[in-house]
Amino acid sequence: MRAEFQKPRGTQDILPPMSLKMEQMRRIALDCAQTFGYLPVETPVFEQTPVFLRVGESTDIVQHERYSFTDAGGVELTLRPEGTAAIARAYVENGMFNQPQPVRMCYYGPMFRRERPQALRYRQHTQFGAELYGSVYPEADAEVILLACAVVERAGLPDPMIRLNSIGCSECRPRYREALIRYYHEQRNHLCRDCQTRLNSNPLRLLDCKIDVAIREQAPDIEEFWCEDCATHYGKLTDLLSASGRQVRRDPFLVRGLDYYTRTVFEIGHPSMGSQAALFGGGRYDGLATTLDGPESTPAVGFGMGIERILSAVEQNLGIPSVTRIYVAHLPGFEGPSLLLAEQLRREGFAAESDLMGRSLKAQLRDAGRRSQIVVFVGGHEWEMDEVNVKSLQDGVQMTVKRDQLSDLLHQQFKINS
RNA sequence: GUGGAUGUAGCUCAGUUGGUUAGAGCACCAGGUUGUGGCCCUGGGGGUCGGGGGUUCAAGUCCCCUCAUUCACCCCA
């Protein structure tokens, strides 16, 4: 293992069969989204840096974890750390607020954050997400969350668990924030070092701390501070989700790391992963598009889901579509005809390949055994009579057919769908 | 950014108190006679022991640095 060139830290080469599972996961997510009417949108993998700065000044992922560079023209650019800001920018820039609302979109692609790598935490990771623009109603939140659950289920994790909270709106959150600061201020001598700084920088995150759990138990609950609209919104949302048969639980300590959220925040987890483990999450961000010079009121809800993470939870039971592969083996001197027969089969829609390594027939069979299910033999006296032998590697059954009946035989005898 | 662990063939790992040409299993390749796999047998290729420096007559084995991986924080997907 003396690779002179190695991949950048925190990145990964995704090889088969993992690459196939990734591909399958992508299909599941995108298909599922489309059944909900969420159509794929692709944005650049990099944006002008201010797009991200504007959206999350106090979040770590834009503060310390940016992959930024200045291009030859002096423009400040940043590799996207998440999808929501870019979609918001695209929504505004393309005047999508003039389309019939709501606008349902989804995205899938690589995201970049310069953090310390760890299992299931990479500097480049893949994220799938959905965004719903234009609706302020709790039904919108519900739809997005149901989509999130549907994707998880379709991927093979039954009964996802929804953890839900509302962090209020511009009217009620400041009041809560004050109360929270007041409470924690009294306790400040008992707080861990991180929490002492959080007290000033991002008080809501105090609730997230895993050390000072005892202190937060006594902390004021935002529920008591919700304004009427927020309370109604949250109430309707929980009712809808419960009525849909989903497992929902309020988590008063759930606040999420990005600071553009308003009202609804949620995380999807799974009972099998322990109560803490969240697979991914999302929420509502009614002010986001406006921040990027969008119209005054542009409500939005969405979620982002890390593909590598969800895949690790689902990998074993994720089936990948199987194809019956045909191996065209050749007798000595028939390499050419063998390649051409494979090509003919492919044109007829089969998955076929031939030997490119100059192997002996015996070696070809061995090779076929690990990559194919069917072998077609090219050469010998059969070939002179326009015939080929076809052998199933599963049961060893072999038969001879006229070449022009090969594809019929493959279809009928061997039940291969091309 | 902080703290801990690890790094020997493609993979999983052995390598005694530092001592001659660094091993195994799996995988890969070729044979076991003349046109057919999966088992078995035989043989083969493949490692500057992550990289660099140091100690020593001598280092895969000790020390330092570095890179990478991994775990726990931070944060998050």
Side-chain angles (χ1 to χ4, degrees):
Chain A
M1 199 174 135
R2 88 196 131 100
E4 193 163 346
F5 297 103
Q6 35 186 241
K7 59 189 174 300
R9 185 165 201 201
T11 62
Q12 43 175 357
D13 298 319
I14 301 167
L15 313 175
M18 200 35 153
S19 55
L20 298 177
K21 298 202 168 188
M22 288 281 280
E23 201 43 50
Q24 176 66 0
M25 190 60 225
R26 177 190 154 101
R27 245 189 306 265
I28 289 172
L30 259 21
D31 285 356
C32 196
Q34 289 200 39
T35 66
F36 278 71
Y38 290 67
L39 304 183
V41 168
E42 295 203 20
T43 64
V45 291
F46 56 87
E47 293 279 342
Q48 295 186 17
T49 300
V51 171
F52 301 116
L53 290 183
R54 192 67 88 74
V55 157
E57 304 119 345
S58 75
T59 68
D60 266 36
I61 68 172
V62 323
Q63 255 191 333
H64 315 293
E65 301 175 359
R66 260 167 34 215
Y67 269 114
S68 294
F69 60 99
T70 309
D71 77 1
V75 182
E76 293 286 344
L77 300 168
T78 295
L79 264 34
R80 63 184 179 194
E82 49 105 25
T84 298
I87 295 289
R89 193 229 79 223
Y91 178 86
V92 173
E93 183 174 344
N94 294 290
M96 295 172 82
F97 40 79
N98 290 321
Q99 293 178 11
Q101 305 293 304
V103 177
R104 297 180 171 97
M105 299 171 275
C106 64
Y107 60 88
Y108 186 101
M111 306 294 164
F112 307 84
R113 296 177 192 176
R114 200 193 171 291
E115 344 172 59
R116 187 87 173 250
Q118 226 177 91
L120 296 185
R121 160 184 293 182
Y122 305 101
R123 291 185 171 187
Q124 174 179 339
H125 73 280
T126 312
Q127 219 168 302
F128 162 76
E131 305 279 340
L132 173 61
Y133 273 80
S135 172
V136 293
Y137 298 102
E139 287 78 7
D141 307 51
E143 181 179 281
V144 162
I145 294 173
L146 290 176
L147 168 56
C149 291
V151 173
V152 170
E153 279 186 337
R154 286 267 302 275
L157 271 190
D159 306 318
M161 167 66 116
I162 306 162
R163 284 163 56 232
L164 195 62
N165 194 16
S166 170
I167 58 171
C169 60
S170 57
E171 190 191 325
C172 52
R173 183 158 38 174
R175 292 204 307 269
Y176 174 64
R177 202 182 143 100
E178 262 176 56
L180 196 64
I181 292 173
R182 204 176 312 124
Y183 169 77
Y184 271 97
H185 201 73
E186 288 165 13
Q187 306 289 331
R188 104 193 117 199
N189 293 331
H190 308 292
L191 294 175
C192 68
R193 173 120 42 88
D194 288 327
C195 280
Q196 307 224 359
T197 58
R198 274 192 274 246
L199 189 49
N200 297 313
S201 61
N202 199 346
L204 286 193
R205 304 238 67 189
L206 287 162
L207 298 174
D208 250 358
C209 183
K210 285 151 205 135
I211 301 168
D212 299 326
V213 281
I215 296 176
R216 79 177 185 186
E217 293 299 332
Q218 304 301 318
D221 187 337
I222 192 165
E223 189 173 22
E224 316 288 328
F225 292 77
W226 287 338
C227 62
E228 205 180 316
D229 287 348
C230 282
T232 312
H233 189 94
Y234 181 86
K236 279 190 182 165
L237 177 55
T238 340
D239 291 348
L240 282 166
L241 292 174
S242 313
S244 78
R246 299 290 179 192
Q247 303 183 64
V248 200
R249 209 183 59 205
R250 180 164 118 83
D251 180 347
F253 306 122
L254 178 61
V255 291
R256 304 281 299 161
L258 288 334
D259 56 8
Y260 46 61
Y261 287 109
T262 53
R263 289 192 173 158
T264 309
V265 291
F266 69 92
E267 287 185 351
I268 306 292
H270 193 260
S272 72
M273 309 187 61
S275 53
Q276 286 298 64
L279 277 171
F280 65 95
R284 178 171 275 282
Y285 21 84
D286 289 343
L288 183 60
T290 311
T291 311
L292 294 173
D293 301 334
E296 204 47 54
S297 162
T298 314
V301 220
F303 67 83
M305 144 169 146
I307 294 298
E308 290 83 356
R309 235 171 237 200
I310 193 111
L311 209 48
S312 83
V314 153
E315 202 192 324
Q316 312 89 306
N317 21 359
L318 186 72
I320 50 181
S322 71
V323 248
T324 302
R325 310 177 69 84
I326 300 166
Y327 193 101
V328 184
H330 61 81
L331 272 60
F334 285 84
E335 300 63 15
S338 148
L339 177 87
L340 296 175
L341 180 57
E343 172 62 4
Q344 186 195 318
L345 288 170
R346 277 175 230 127
R347 287 187 188 177
E348 289 167 8
F350 296 102
E353 57 216 276
S354 59
D355 172 60
L356 305 175
M357 298 302 293
R359 287 188 225 262
S360 67
L361 188 57
K362 185 189 175 87
Q364 289 179 70
L365 263 294
R366 200 189 317 119
D367 193 36
R370 58 198 161 198
R371 60 176 88 231
S372 313
Q373 289 74 43
I374 303 284
V375 176
V376 176
F377 295 87
V378 168
H381 51 267
E382 294 90 339
W383 189 256
E384 279 160 26
M385 305 196 316
D386 279 329
E387 291 175 344
V388 288
N389 285 328
V390 183
K391 175 173 182 171
S392 161
L393 293 176
Q394 329 280 319
D395 48 27
V397 171
Q398 179 164 317
M399 44 187 81
T400 308
V401 271
K402 286 290 179 190
R403 281 172 61 189
D404 56 14
Q405 285 163 17
L406 176 57
S407 74
D408 287 343
L409 180 81
L410 291 169
H411 280 129
Q412 286 155 25
Q413 276 301 321
F414 295 101
K415 305 277 185 281
I416 306 174
N417 306 310
S418 57

